[in-house]
PDB file of all heavy atoms in Angstrom:
ATOM      1  N   SER A 438      68.784 196.900 166.479  1.00 88.00           N
ATOM      2  CA  SER A 438      67.836 198.048 166.285  1.00 88.00           C
ATOM      3  C   SER A 438      68.644 199.168 165.588  1.00 88.00           C
ATOM      4  O   SER A 438      67.943 200.084 165.002  1.00 88.00           O
ATOM      5  CB  SER A 438      67.351 198.544 167.608  1.00 88.00           C
ATOM      6  OG  SER A 438      68.329 199.036 168.437  1.00 88.00           O
ATOM      7  N   GLY A 439      69.989 199.101 165.687  1.00 87.00           N
ATOM      8  CA  GLY A 439      70.692 200.260 164.994  1.00 87.00           C
ATOM      9  C   GLY A 439      70.664 200.154 163.460  1.00 87.00           C
ATOM     10  O   GLY A 439      70.857 201.142 162.752  1.00 87.00           O
ATOM     11  N   LEU A 440      70.131 198.995 163.010  1.00 92.00           N
ATOM     12  CA  LEU A 440      70.045 198.867 161.444  1.00 92.00           C
ATOM     13  C   LEU A 440      68.950 199.809 160.878  1.00 92.00           C
ATOM     14  O   LEU A 440      68.916 200.086 159.723  1.00 92.00           O
ATOM     15  CB  LEU A 440      69.805 197.476 161.139  1.00 92.00           C
ATOM     16  CG  LEU A 440      70.771 196.441 161.438  1.00 92.00           C
ATOM     17  CD1 LEU A 440      70.431 194.961 161.069  1.00 92.00           C
ATOM     18  CD2 LEU A 440      72.146 196.793 160.903  1.00 92.00           C
ATOM     19  N   ALA A 441      68.064 200.237 161.716  1.00 92.00           N
ATOM     20  CA  ALA A 441      66.958 201.077 161.365  1.00 92.00           C
ATOM     21  C   ALA A 441      67.457 202.486 160.771  1.00 92.00           C
ATOM     22  O   ALA A 441      66.720 203.063 160.062  1.00 92.00           O
ATOM     23  CB  ALA A 441      65.939 201.316 162.414  1.00 92.00           C
ATOM     24  N   ILE A 442      68.586 202.877 161.227  1.00 93.00           N
ATOM     25  CA  ILE A 442      69.102 204.206 160.801  1.00 93.00           C
ATOM     26  C   ILE A 442      69.813 204.171 159.503  1.00 93.00           C
ATOM     27  O   ILE A 442      70.122 205.168 158.914  1.00 93.00           O
ATOM     28  CB  ILE A 442      69.989 204.831 161.882  1.00 93.00           C
ATOM     29  CG1 ILE A 442      71.290 203.890 162.099  1.00 93.00           C
ATOM     30  CG2 ILE A 442      69.286 205.082 163.185  1.00 93.00           C
ATOM     31  CD1 ILE A 442      72.461 204.241 161.321  1.00 93.00           C
ATOM     32  N   LEU A 443      70.012 202.951 158.948  1.00 94.00           N
ATOM     33  CA  LEU A 443      70.776 202.792 157.746  1.00 94.00           C
ATOM     34  C   LEU A 443      69.985 203.526 156.586  1.00 94.00           C
ATOM     35  O   LEU A 443      68.757 203.222 156.399  1.00 94.00           O
ATOM     36  CB  LEU A 443      71.004 201.375 157.394  1.00 94.00           C
ATOM     37  CG  LEU A 443      71.815 200.530 158.417  1.00 94.00           C
ATOM     38  CD1 LEU A 443      72.021 199.089 157.975  1.00 94.00           C
ATOM     39  CD2 LEU A 443      73.119 201.327 158.778  1.00 94.00           C
ATOM     40  N   GLY A 444      70.744 204.238 155.712  1.00 93.00           N
ATOM     41  CA  GLY A 444      70.128 204.867 154.534  1.00 93.00           C
ATOM     42  C   GLY A 444      69.267 206.057 154.833  1.00 93.00           C
ATOM     43  O   GLY A 444      68.563 206.625 153.949  1.00 93.00           O
ATOM     44  N   SER A 445      69.379 206.552 155.998  1.00 92.00           N
ATOM     45  CA  SER A 445      68.530 207.756 156.362  1.00 92.00           C
ATOM     46  C   SER A 445      69.176 209.162 156.266  1.00 92.00           C
ATOM     47  O   SER A 445      68.644 210.160 156.670  1.00 92.00           O
ATOM     48  CB  SER A 445      68.128 207.646 157.854  1.00 92.00           C
ATOM     49  OG  SER A 445      69.294 207.668 158.753  1.00 92.00           O
ATOM     50  N   GLY A 446      70.296 209.171 155.483  1.00 92.00           N
ATOM     51  CA  GLY A 446      71.001 210.402 155.385  1.00 92.00           C
ATOM     52  C   GLY A 446      70.907 211.108 154.048  1.00 92.00           C
ATOM     53  O   GLY A 446      71.765 211.916 153.601  1.00 92.00           O
ATOM     54  N   GLN A 447      69.813 210.809 153.262  1.00 92.00           N
ATOM     55  CA  GLN A 447      69.596 211.391 151.939  1.00 92.00           C
ATOM     56  C   GLN A 447      69.577 212.882 151.979  1.00 92.00           C
ATOM     57  O   GLN A 447      70.086 213.515 151.066  1.00 92.00           O
ATOM     58  CB  GLN A 447      68.281 210.868 151.303  1.00 92.00           C
ATOM     59  CG  GLN A 447      68.267 209.429 150.962  1.00 92.00           C
ATOM     60  CD  GLN A 447      68.925 209.118 149.636  1.00 92.00           C
ATOM     61  OE1 GLN A 447      69.381 210.030 148.970  1.00 92.00           O
ATOM     62  NE2 GLN A 447      68.916 207.816 149.157  1.00 92.00           N
ATOM     63  N   GLY A 448      68.952 213.453 152.979  1.00 93.00           N
ATOM     64  CA  GLY A 448      68.873 214.946 153.092  1.00 93.00           C
ATOM     65  C   GLY A 448      70.210 215.577 153.190  1.00 93.00           C
ATOM     66  O   GLY A 448      70.519 216.620 152.589  1.00 93.00           O
ATOM     67  N   GLN A 449      71.070 214.983 153.888  1.00 95.00           N
ATOM     68  CA  GLN A 449      72.488 215.461 154.010  1.00 95.00           C
ATOM     69  C   GLN A 449      73.203 215.285 152.759  1.00 95.00           C
ATOM     70  O   GLN A 449      73.955 216.199 152.391  1.00 95.00           O
ATOM     71  CB  GLN A 449      73.232 214.632 155.109  1.00 95.00           C
ATOM     72  CG  GLN A 449      74.529 215.027 155.413  1.00 95.00           C
ATOM     73  CD  GLN A 449      75.213 214.157 156.494  1.00 95.00           C
ATOM     74  OE1 GLN A 449      75.436 212.911 156.229  1.00 95.00           O
ATOM     75  NE2 GLN A 449      75.572 214.763 157.602  1.00 95.00           N
ATOM     76  N   VAL A 450      72.947 214.231 152.029  1.00 97.00           N
ATOM     77  CA  VAL A 450      73.666 214.090 150.730  1.00 97.00           C
ATOM     78  C   VAL A 450      73.144 215.147 149.748  1.00 97.00           C
ATOM     79  O   VAL A 450      73.993 215.799 148.990  1.00 97.00           O
ATOM     80  CB  VAL A 450      73.393 212.660 150.093  1.00 97.00           C
ATOM     81  CG1 VAL A 450      74.058 212.545 148.725  1.00 97.00           C
ATOM     82  CG2 VAL A 450      73.893 211.559 151.084  1.00 97.00           C
TER      83      VAL A 450
END
Side-chain angles (χ1 to χ4, degrees):
S438 61
L440 299 181
I442 59 97
L443 301 181
S445 60
Q447 290 277 3
Q449 183 182 64
V450 180

